[in-house]
Structures are given as structure tokens and as C-alpha cells.
Amino acid sequence: PPLISASGVAKRFGGPGGTLALDGVTLDIRRGEFVSLLGPSGCGKSTFLRCLAGLDRPTGGRLTLEGVPITAPPAELGIALQRDALLDWLDVLDNVLLPAEFAGAPRARHTARALELLRMVGLGEFVHAYPRTLSGGMRQRVAICRALLMSPPLLLMDEPFGALDALTRDQLNVDLRKLWQANRMTVVFVTHSIAEALFLSTRVVLFGPRPGRPVDDVTLDLPEH
Ligand code: ADP
Ligand code: ADP
């Protein structure tokens, strides 16, 4: 059975007559897939991701994780949004360890993993630096390590590299693909970049372009890298 199943998922903002952001999204996502949601700005990608994350509720249709309707953020979810949301008063390592903190897990058990992730993205020498001393690209990499710390079976990313220059984005795309290859989690990745979607994903789902009609029924199954 699919990990995620969306059937006729609709989302209207602001009550009757309000903006129809999703209009009948139907798709299944299997375990271990790296799915990009690709489409122009305003076509409902973020709304759909927020519904997957349990941060927003569909107003119609059925959206399930392991067969259970999503009504709250799933327990083992990694999430990285457009802005990195690091805590300025914690150093890099402590920022990455936050999900362990929230889970009430002993810090020591996750420190080695945090250091390994930071090394993988080239931040091994910055583990005790504070976020404000880092560049935008470095901060974004910290946020990605944080999202991956607990090896979440499900990783949701909404244009996590959107604010970065093209070179940094390319590097992070390489990092992310390596991490996915090493961990084989399920990733749903929102982007409006065709190149990014094709580089990263095992599958691309096209949204848009008309608002309120978000999903084109075109799904490309790409070979695994
Ligand atoms: P995308 O991520 O593809 O750019 P969004 O999901 O952000 O698209 O937005 C889809 C549509 O829903 C847009 O018309 C947007 O203006 C509208 N929308 C998104 N969030 C809200 C909100 N909280 N309240 C009202 N309208 C919203
Ligand atoms: P931005 O997107 O904000 O420009 P980058 O990640 O491209 O961020 O990095 C910008 C600056 O930070 C550059 O001077 C780069 O040399 C430095 N930098 C980035 N990552 C590292 C790293 N792993 N080790 C040392 N310096 C780094």
C-alpha cells in the first residue's frame, strides 16, 4: 500500500466563494520515492505540502498517511520550509539536535549522527558556530541536517533552497541526493524549477498552471539515479 494517498483532495481558503487552492488532487506516493511537486507560483504546491505536514486541513477529499487521515503533524516527520528558522541563541550542533530535544530523546544518542550529517554537508568545522555568523547557504544546510536528524521516514521540503544563489543550490541538490541515497526516506519536494525536479527526483508531479485546478494528470516516472 502507498505511504501517502490523496484522493480528490480539495482546499478552499476563506469559506464559500474563497480561493480554491486545491481542486481534486489524486495521487499516491510510495515508500522511498523522491517526488517533486513542480509548477508555477500560486498553483497550490505549498498548500498541498502543508496538508501533508498536518499544518493545514483539506476542505474536501481524503488524505492519508499509512491509511490514516492526516489531522496533525505526523510523529516522525522531517520538514524544511523556505525560510530556515534556526534559533539564533543556539549553536549549529544544538540547532540540529532540536528534534531530539522535542522527542525527549537523550541528546548523547543523536550527537554522533548530527556531527556526521554536518560533515556530509561540509559544515564539520562549524558545529559550534552561531547561525548569525554563517552565510545563507550554510544556514540552509544546517536546517536540512536538522530535518534529517531523526532519519525521518518522511521528509517534506518546500523550496528549501529558494532564497539561495544558483551555485549554492546546485551544491545542496547534490548533498540532498546523497542523503536520500544513503537513507532512502520518502521525500516530497516542492519546487518551481524544472532542472531541480529532474535532477533530484525519481518522479515529478506537475501542478497548475490554473489556480484552483492544481494537478495536471501528468506524472513522469523517472529512472532511479
Ligand atoms: P504555490 O505553493 O504553488 O505557490 P500556494 O499553495 O502557496 O501555491 O497557494 C495556492 C493558492 O492559495 C494561491 O492562490 C494562494 O494565494 C492561496 N493561498 C495560499 N495560502 C492561503 C491562505 N493562508 N489564505 C488564503 N489564500 C491562500
Ligand atoms: P551564500 O549562499 O549565502 O553565498 P554559501 O554557502 O555559498 O552561502 O557560502 C558563502 C561563503 O561561506 C563563502 O565565502 C564560502 O567560502 C563560505 N563557506 C560556505 N560553506 C563553507 C564550508 N563548508 N567551509 C568553509 N567555508 C564555507
Side-chain angles (χ1 to χ4, degrees):
L3 178 66
I4 290 164
S5 183
S7 174
V9 168
K11 174 71 181 180
R12 189 185 290 281
F13 287 104
T19 307
L20 191 56
L22 300 172
D23 182 15
V25 180
T26 297
L27 66 101
D28 285 346
I29 296 174
R30 295 184 306 270
R31 264 185 199 75
E33 280 194 294
F34 194 130
V35 177
S36 285
L37 308 182
L38 175 69
S41 176
C43 66
K45 306 181 299 293
S46 298
T47 300
F48 186 66
L49 199 82
R50 288 178 56 80
C51 289
L52 286 181
L55 299 172
D56 218 333
R57 295 283 285 276
T59 48
R62 186 175 159 80
L63 183 61
T64 61
L65 178 71
E66 291 179 317
V68 180
I70 299 170
T71 56
E76 292 176 60
L77 172 71
I79 186 161
L81 302 177
Q82 289 171 40
R83 294 195 297 127
D84 63 41
L86 300 182
L87 302 183
D88 281 331
W89 61 91
L90 297 180
D91 70 14
V92 163
L93 180 59
D94 284 347
N95 265 284
V96 174
L97 284 169
L98 272 174
E101 201 81 35
F102 288 140
R107 181 192 161 87
R109 193 187 302 162
H110 295 280
T111 304
R113 164 83 174 155
L115 294 172
E116 182 200 338
L117 285 167
L118 286 164
R119 260 198 309 276
M120 262 180 102
V121 300
L123 293 176
E125 286 163 35
F126 294 85
V127 300
H128 294 305
Y130 282 82
R132 67 178 166 279
T133 68
L134 303 178
S135 71
M138 294 162 88
R139 293 173 57 104
Q140 204 65 57
R141 279 179 266 160
V142 176
I144 290 161
C145 291
R146 183 175 62 188
L148 292 169
L149 179 72
M150 309 296 274
S151 298
L154 177 60
L155 178 63
L156 304 178
M157 307 185 100
D158 189 352
E159 305 230 22
F161 316 138
L164 306 176
D165 63 274
L167 233 79
T168 306
R169 196 164 58 232
D170 285 353
Q171 195 199 328
L172 287 175
N173 279 334
V174 172
D175 291 340
L176 178 59
R177 205 166 72 172
K178 266 193 242 159
L179 290 168
W180 174 77
Q181 282 169 335
N183 292 283
R184 286 302 162 122
M185 65 288 215
T186 308
V187 185
V188 184
F189 187 93
V190 166
T191 181
H192 60 248
S193 161
I194 294 172
E196 196 167 63
L198 292 178
F199 177 77
L200 283 172
S201 322
T202 55
R203 184 171 150 214
V204 179
V205 176
L206 297 178
F207 270 57
R210 294 188 301 281
R213 289 298 324 272
V215 175
D216 253 335
D217 40 19
V218 185
T219 294
L220 307 171
D221 276 299
L222 301 177
E224 300 223 349
H225 297 288

